[in-house]
Protein backbone atom coordinates (compact mmCIF):
# COMPACT_ATOMS: atom_id res chain seq x y z
CA UNK A 1 0.00 0.00 0.00
CA UNK A 2 1.25 3.46 -0.89
CA UNK A 3 1.00 6.32 1.59
CA UNK A 4 -0.49 9.51 0.24
CA UNK A 5 1.55 12.58 1.11
CA UNK A 6 -0.36 15.79 1.79
CA UNK A 7 1.56 18.98 1.03
CA UNK A 8 0.90 22.71 1.28
CA UNK A 9 2.69 24.88 -1.29
CA UNK A 10 2.92 28.62 -1.90
CA UNK A 11 2.77 30.86 -4.93
CA UNK A 12 4.90 33.80 -3.81
CA UNK A 13 5.14 36.67 -6.28
CA UNK A 14 7.63 39.49 -6.70
CA UNK A 15 6.64 41.59 -9.68
CA UNK A 16 6.47 39.27 -12.67
CA UNK A 17 8.35 36.43 -10.95
CA UNK A 18 7.39 33.42 -8.84
CA UNK A 19 9.60 31.98 -6.11
CA UNK A 20 10.72 28.40 -6.75
CA UNK A 21 12.69 26.11 -4.47
CA UNK A 22 15.53 23.94 -5.76
CA UNK A 23 17.13 21.07 -3.89
CA UNK A 24 20.88 21.45 -4.36
CA UNK A 25 22.32 18.56 -6.38
CA UNK A 26 18.96 17.71 -7.98
CA UNK A 27 17.50 18.90 -11.28
CA UNK A 28 13.95 19.60 -10.16
CA UNK A 29 12.39 22.75 -8.76
CA UNK A 30 9.11 23.08 -6.87
CA UNK A 31 6.89 25.61 -5.18
CA UNK A 32 8.02 26.36 -1.61
CA UNK A 33 6.22 24.52 1.17
CA UNK A 34 6.04 20.97 2.36
CA UNK A 35 4.30 18.26 4.32
CA UNK A 36 1.25 18.90 6.46
CA UNK A 37 1.83 17.27 9.83
CA UNK A 38 -0.79 15.62 12.02
CA UNK A 39 -2.91 18.21 13.79
CA UNK A 40 -2.02 21.04 11.41
CA UNK A 41 -4.28 22.94 9.09
CA UNK A 42 -2.82 23.43 5.61
CA UNK A 43 -2.26 27.15 6.15
CA UNK A 44 -0.46 26.50 9.45
CA UNK A 45 1.78 23.93 7.81
CA UNK A 46 2.61 26.33 5.02
CA UNK A 47 3.53 29.09 7.47
CA UNK A 48 5.74 26.64 9.38
CA UNK A 49 7.40 25.33 6.21
CA UNK A 50 8.14 28.84 4.91
CA UNK A 51 9.57 29.78 8.30
CA UNK A 52 11.78 26.67 8.25
CA UNK A 53 12.85 26.99 4.60
CA UNK A 54 13.21 30.77 4.28
CA UNK A 55 13.29 32.07 7.84
CA UNK A 56 10.34 34.39 7.07
CA UNK A 57 6.88 34.98 8.46
CA UNK A 58 4.38 34.60 5.64
CA UNK A 59 0.81 35.76 5.33
CA UNK A 60 -1.12 32.92 3.72
CA UNK A 61 -3.71 34.13 1.24
CA UNK A 62 -6.19 32.60 -1.14
CA UNK A 63 -6.51 28.99 -2.20
CA UNK A 64 -5.09 28.59 -5.72
CA UNK A 65 -5.72 24.94 -6.49
CA UNK A 66 -5.15 21.27 -5.83
CA UNK A 67 -2.98 18.85 -7.76
CA UNK A 68 -3.04 15.08 -7.35
CA UNK A 69 0.28 13.64 -8.47
CA UNK A 70 1.47 10.04 -8.79
CA UNK A 71 4.98 9.11 -9.82
CA UNK A 72 7.73 6.52 -9.51
CA UNK A 73 11.01 7.73 -8.03
CA UNK A 74 13.81 7.21 -10.54
CA UNK A 75 16.34 6.68 -7.73
CA UNK A 76 14.66 3.90 -5.77
CA UNK A 77 11.77 2.76 -8.00
CA UNK A 78 9.29 3.51 -5.19
CA UNK A 79 5.78 4.60 -6.13
CA UNK A 80 4.63 7.93 -4.62
CA UNK A 81 1.29 9.66 -4.40
CA UNK A 82 0.84 13.22 -3.25
CA UNK A 83 -1.83 15.85 -3.00
CA UNK A 84 -0.59 19.43 -3.25
CA UNK A 85 -2.74 22.21 -1.82
CA UNK A 86 -1.58 25.52 -3.29
CA UNK A 87 -2.13 28.93 -1.69
CA UNK A 88 -0.88 32.42 -2.33
CA UNK A 89 1.53 33.74 0.27
CA UNK A 90 2.94 37.18 0.95
CA UNK A 91 6.34 37.80 2.44
CA UNK A 92 7.79 41.21 3.26
CA UNK A 93 11.29 40.30 2.18
CA UNK A 94 12.19 41.04 -1.44
CA UNK A 95 15.48 39.20 -1.19
CA UNK A 96 15.30 35.68 0.18
CA UNK A 97 17.93 33.19 1.27
CA UNK A 98 17.56 29.60 2.26
CA UNK A 99 17.45 28.80 5.95
CA UNK A 100 18.18 25.16 5.06
CA UNK A 101 21.53 24.13 3.57
CA UNK A 102 20.06 21.70 1.05
CA UNK A 103 17.77 24.27 -0.61
CA UNK A 104 18.18 27.37 -2.72
CA UNK A 105 15.47 29.71 -4.00
CA UNK A 106 15.06 31.30 -7.41
CA UNK A 107 12.77 34.05 -8.71
CA UNK A 108 11.51 32.79 -12.08
CA UNK A 109 9.22 34.29 -14.71
CA UNK A 110 6.32 31.93 -15.49
CA UNK A 111 7.31 31.99 -19.16
CA UNK A 112 10.61 30.40 -18.09
CA UNK A 113 9.02 27.53 -16.14
CA UNK A 114 9.58 25.28 -19.17
CA UNK A 115 13.35 25.85 -18.80
CA UNK A 116 13.19 24.46 -15.27
CA UNK A 117 12.24 20.96 -14.17
CA UNK A 118 9.26 22.24 -12.20
CA UNK A 119 7.47 19.39 -10.44
CA UNK A 120 4.76 18.34 -10.58
CA UNK A 121 5.14 19.20 -14.26
CA UNK A 122 1.52 20.34 -14.50
CA UNK A 123 2.53 23.39 -12.40
CA UNK A 124 4.26 24.72 -15.52
CA UNK A 125 0.94 25.51 -17.16
CA UNK A 126 -1.50 25.45 -14.21
CA UNK A 127 0.23 28.33 -12.42
CA UNK A 128 0.56 30.32 -15.66
CA UNK A 129 -3.16 29.82 -16.40
CA UNK A 130 -4.11 30.79 -12.85
CA UNK A 131 -2.05 33.99 -13.12
CA UNK A 132 -3.93 34.86 -16.32
CA UNK A 133 -7.50 33.96 -15.35
CA UNK A 134 -7.50 33.76 -11.53
CA UNK A 135 -9.59 30.55 -11.58
CA UNK A 136 -8.82 27.90 -8.98
CA UNK A 137 -8.08 24.44 -10.29
CA UNK A 138 -8.18 20.75 -9.42
CA UNK A 139 -5.92 18.66 -11.59
CA UNK A 140 -5.04 14.97 -11.42
CA UNK A 141 -1.69 14.28 -13.05
CA UNK A 142 -1.66 10.66 -14.07
CA UNK A 143 1.68 9.22 -14.98
Amino acid sequence: MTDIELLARAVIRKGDRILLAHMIGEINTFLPGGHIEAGEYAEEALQRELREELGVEAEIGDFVGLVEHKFTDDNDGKRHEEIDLIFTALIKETEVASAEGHLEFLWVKPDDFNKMTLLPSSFQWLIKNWLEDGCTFHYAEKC
Side-chain angles (χ1 to χ4, degrees):
M1 175 177 226
T2 302
D3 292 331
I4 298 174
E5 299 177 54
L6 187 58
L7 299 109
R9 299 208 178 272
V11 175
I12 301 172
R13 297 170 71 177
K14 179 174 83 169
D16 64 347
R17 297 173 190 269
I18 303 292
L19 188 65
L20 297 182
H22 172 250
M23 191 171 298
I24 295 170
E26 300 291 330
I27 62 167
N28 60 306
T29 57
F30 47 92
L31 293 173
H35 290 89
I36 300 170
E37 296 178 359
E40 284 184 318
Y41 288 104
E43 292 93 337
E44 294 170 334
L46 188 52
Q47 285 177 318
R48 176 185 50 74
E49 286 286 347
L50 294 175
R51 190 178 315 111
E52 290 172 3
E53 292 177 355
L54 291 163
V56 300
E57 292 301 321
E59 180 182 326
I60 307 306
D62 294 331
F63 178 72
V64 172
L66 180 148
V67 171
E68 298 178 66
H69 181 56
K70 300 176 184 186
F71 63 97
T72 301
D73 189 317
D74 290 337
N75 294 324
D76 63 11
K78 184 177 177 187
R79 187 81 176 141
H80 295 269
E81 295 184 25
E82 68 183 40
I83 295 175
D84 294 278
L85 303 171
I86 303 104
F87 298 86
T88 60
L90 295 174
I91 59 173
K92 293 179 180 157
E93 295 76 7
T94 55
E95 297 300 319
V96 296
S98 179
E100 297 183 350
H102 66 284
L103 292 176
E104 64 181 348
F105 291 88
L106 314 162
W107 291 105
V108 179
K109 291 182 179 184
D111 286 340
D112 293 333
F113 284 172
N114 61 343
K115 297 176 186 173
M116 318 294 289
T117 305
L118 177 58
L119 297 178
S121 60
S122 58
F123 282 168
Q124 291 183 26
W125 57 273
L126 286 169
I127 299 301
K128 285 172 58 173
N129 289 352
W130 172 79
L131 289 167
E132 291 172 10
D133 64 26
C135 295
T136 59
F137 55 82
H138 172 202
Y139 182 76
E141 186 169 305
K142 299 171 181 153
C143 50

